[in-house]
Amino acid sequence: MARRFLWPAALCCALLTVVATRASAEPAAWSPLPERLRQILTAHDAPADGVGVYVHAVGAPAPLVSVNAAAPFNPASTIKLLTTWVGLEELGPAWRWPTEVYIRGDLQRGVLDGDLIIKGYGDPYLTTERLWLLLRELRLRGLRTIQGDLVIDNGYFADEYGDPADFDGDGLRAYNVFPDAFLVNFQALRLFFEPDPARNGVRVFADPMPANLSVENRLQLRSGRCGGFRNGVALNLEGGAARDRLIVSGRYGGNCELYSMTRSVLTGPTFAYGVFRSLWEELGGELQGNLRVAPGLIGADSADTQPALFARVESPALAEVIASINKYSNNVMSRHLFLTLAAETFEPPATLAKARRAAVLALQRRGLDFPELRLDNGAGLSRNTRIAAQSLGGLLLTASESPWMPEFVSSLSLAGLDGTLRKRFRGDATTGRMHLKTGRLQDVFATAGYVHARSGRDYVVVILQNYPDADRGPGEEAQAALLRWVYEQ
C-alpha cells in the first residue's frame, strides 16, 4: 500500500510565502519598463537603483519611459556623446587641427644647419600615413639633412598625467594612452606574429617601427592550436628609464595564422620622435641630432627671433574625426577633442579643469543644465564620471534639432553594420535602424542613441547599468530587450 505524506500546515504556508516573495521580487520602480526587460533584470538580481532608463520620442512632450532617470550613473564611453556634440557645436563640423613645422638655422642645398621644430596643436588623427605625407613634403621642398635636433613643442596641452597603468594596471593597452599635443598614430604600434616552421620559430614585426625601440623576440613555437586571447604572447618593457626594449615571450601555437595586437610602448614625444626618424630615413633623409621636447617654444620668442614657418598641414575635418571617436570609441581622440575645447574657449595650455568648465559653459549656453554632471577626461575611461539618463537623453533630443544633427548622428555606430555594433543585431529587424554609442567598464554597461522605430518615428534611448557584472552577458541581453521593444513602438 502506498504511503501518504501529509505536509504540515506551517510548512505549506512557509513555501507559499517563499513563492510569493520570489514572484514579487521585482522592484516596484521597474513597473514602467517593458516586461521582458524586467524579467531579465530580476533574473540576474540587478539592484533597483542600479539601472537608469530614459526613452523619449523625438518631438513628444514627455518621455515614454523614465526609470531612475534623474539619478547619477557612470556612463562609461557614452559620455563621448557629450564631448563630440559639444565639440561640433563649439568648433563646427569643418574644424581642423593644424601641425606646423619650423626651421631654426640656415637651409642650404638641402642641409639645415640647425633644428627642425614641430609644433603640435592636438591633431588626434596624425596617423603614420599622414605623417609620411608631411615628411615627403619636407623632402620635396628640398630638406634632406637636419644637422641639429628634432624639437617637439607639445605645449598646447598641459602635461598633467601620471602613469598610464593607473586606471587598470595595464599601461601597454592603447586605450590608456594619454593626450599629447603632437600625437603620432595614436601613440600605438601594431605587433604582428606569424609562425615560421622552417626556422622552428615565430616571426615578429611591428608597424610602425620606431627607430628608438628594439624588439627582442623570445617566442617559442609549440605544436598544436592557438591559445586564444593573446595566443600565449607576453610583453614586457625593459631598458631602464627609457623603457626602449620590448621583450616578447611565451609559447605560440604552430597552427595559428597571422595574429596582431595593438599596444603603446613609449611616451608620446619619444614615440613620435622614433617614428619620425624611421620614416625620415626611409625617405632618404638624415637626422644627425636627437630629440628635444620644448613646450611653449613657438610663440615664446620675440618676432625677430621666431623660427621660420616651413610647412603646415591640417587634420581631417571634425565631422570625420568624431566618426572615429564614436564608432570605434577611441579614448585618446575624445580626450584630445575635450582638451581642444579648453584651449579654444580659454587659452593654452589646455588642462582638464579648463576642459570641464568649457563643456559646462557650452551646455548652459544651449539651455542644458545637468547639476549631477561630473566630467573627468571626456572619454569615459574613468570611475568618477557621472551623468543621469535623462540628462544624456536631453542632450540627444537637443542634438536632434541642431544644424549639425546629420554629422552627429552619422558618427554613431549603425546596429549590425559598423563600429562597436558591427557584430550586434546583425541579421535582425533592427539592423541599420539604430544609431548608438555603447560604453563598458567593469560593472558598468551603457548604451545611448537613436532608434528609428518600425512605425517610422525616431526615439532617443538611454540605458545605464551600474551593478556587479553589469558588463557581462546579462547586461547586453537587457539592453537588447529594451532596444527591440522601442523599435516595435
Side-chain angles (χ1 to χ4, degrees):
M1 180 177 179
R3 299 176 60 187
R4 296 180 62 193
F5 291 90
L6 299 177
W7 293 91
L11 181 56
C12 289
C13 292
L15 286 173
L16 289 173
T17 301
V18 171
V19 173
T21 301
R22 287 180 176 173
S24 61
E26 178 184 294
W30 287 353
S31 58
L33 295 177
E35 181 181 0
R36 179 58 185 151
L37 176 56
R38 297 199 311 267
Q39 291 173 349
I40 294 169
L41 294 173
T42 302
H44 294 285
D45 296 322
D49 60 353
V51 183
V53 178
Y54 186 81
V55 180
H56 198 138
V58 175
L64 179 64
V65 177
S66 180
V67 172
N68 293 332
F73 285 84
N74 187 325
S77 281
T78 60
I79 201 65
K80 290 182 175 75
L81 293 170
L82 186 152
T83 301
T84 52
W85 180 68
V86 169
L88 270 180
E89 290 289 305
E90 292 292 294
L91 304 175
W95 168 270
R96 297 174 188 268
W97 286 264
T99 299
E100 298 172 343
V101 180
Y102 295 81
I103 57 174
R104 172 173 279 167
D106 293 328
L107 176 59
Q108 299 288 338
R109 296 181 180 179
V111 178
L112 174 61
D113 183 17
D115 300 325
L116 187 76
I117 304 167
I118 299 183
K119 170 71 173 180
Y121 291 89
D123 182 351
Y125 201 70
L126 190 58
T127 59
T128 306
E129 295 81 3
R130 293 189 59 242
L131 179 62
W132 182 88
L133 289 173
L134 171 59
L135 301 193
R136 185 172 182 270
E137 180 181 341
L138 302 184
R139 290 288 288 117
L140 290 174
R141 297 192 61 181
L143 180 60
R144 182 185 70 254
T145 300
I146 305 165
Q147 293 185 329
D149 293 330
L150 174 66
V151 182
I152 295 177
D153 180 352
N154 60 355
Y156 189 71
F157 294 164
D159 183 5
E160 55 181 353
Y161 305 99
D163 187 335
D166 288 343
F167 179 71
D168 60 3
D170 199 344
L172 299 185
R173 298 301 292 268
Y175 59 71
N176 277 323
V177 167
F178 289 148
D180 189 274
F182 183 55
L183 184 81
V184 170
N185 206 59
F186 319 111
Q187 198 184 309
L189 56 82
R190 193 175 183 190
L191 289 162
F192 294 87
F193 309 91
E194 186 175 36
D196 188 359
R199 299 183 180 180
N200 195 32
V202 182
R203 183 171 174 250
V204 179
F205 56 100
D207 181 41
M209 183 62 206
N212 54 345
L213 178 71
S214 64
V215 178
E216 186 174 329
N217 182 5
R218 298 181 185 174
L219 273 177
Q220 297 179 359
L221 188 67
R222 62 174 175 82
S223 61
R225 59 187 182 85
C226 290
F229 179 65
R230 295 189 184 181
N231 289 340
V233 176
L235 304 177
N236 289 288
L237 275 176
E238 297 182 2
R243 303 185 72 192
D244 56 2
R245 188 157 58 100
L246 181 65
I247 310 298
V248 184
S249 61
R251 293 173 60 81
Y252 194 82
N255 292 338
C256 292
E257 298 180 353
L258 182 67
Y259 171 74
S260 68
M261 63 171 69
T262 301
R263 294 293 184 269
S264 175
V265 297
L266 296 170
T267 66
T270 56
F271 183 80
Y273 161 74
V275 176
F276 176 98
R277 180 180 280 277
S278 294
L279 296 179
W280 188 244
E281 292 173 353
E282 286 179 11
L283 287 166
E286 182 183 6
L287 173 60
Q288 296 180 357
N290 295 299
L291 167 68
R292 275 195 293 129
V293 182
L297 173 64
I298 300 302
D301 296 336
S302 60
D304 57 343
T305 60
Q306 189 75 13
L309 180 63
F310 189 64
R312 185 179 189 272
V313 294
E314 293 185 337
S315 73
L318 179 58
E320 299 176 52
V321 170
I322 66 167
S324 293
I325 293 175
N326 284 332
K327 284 185 183 292
Y328 302 101
S329 206
N330 190 298
N331 288 317
V332 73
M333 292 179 73
S334 185
R335 296 174 79 162
H336 271 228
L337 177 55
F338 194 55
L339 290 172
T340 301
L341 286 168
E344 294 301 312
T345 303
F346 301 108
E347 61 181 24
T351 65
L352 285 172
K354 290 179 183 178
R356 294 163 190 153
R357 181 61 179 156
V360 170
L361 288 174
L363 292 171
Q364 290 175 346
R365 282 194 292 270
R366 289 156 182 85
L368 299 174
D369 184 18
F370 305 152
E372 84 291 350
L373 180 64
R374 296 293 180 270
L375 286 170
D376 190 347
N377 53 37
L381 193 72
S382 167
R383 290 292 173 185
N384 302 318
T385 304
R386 293 292 184 275
I387 195 171
Q390 69 180 16
S391 295
L392 196 51
L395 182 145
L396 291 169
L397 288 169
T398 303
S400 70
E401 300 174 354
S402 166
W404 316 132
M405 179 274 291
E407 287 79 7
F408 179 66
V409 174
S410 65
S411 76
L412 308 183
S413 293
L414 268 169
L417 296 178
D418 67 9
T420 57
L421 287 176
R422 65 191 180 279
K423 295 182 180 179
R424 293 178 63 188
F425 306 103
R426 183 181 293 176
D428 191 88
T430 60
T431 298
R433 303 294 294 268
M434 302 188 293
H435 287 82
L436 304 172
K437 178 74 194 77
T438 60
R440 195 190 303 252
L441 297 172
Q442 183 178 353
D443 300 332
V444 176
F445 198 21
T447 293
Y450 302 93
V451 174
H452 186 65
R454 187 187 295 275
S455 64
R457 193 162 193 183
D458 293 320
Y459 289 82
V460 162
V461 180
V462 180
I463 176 169
L464 308 176
Q465 297 164 267
N466 289 191
Y467 52 86
D469 293 330
D471 55 314
R472 306 296 181 180
E476 188 169 308
E477 184 183 3
Q479 293 186 8
L482 175 66
L483 292 166
R484 289 193 174 102
W485 178 81
V486 173
Y487 171 72
E488 295 296 338
Q489 298 307 301

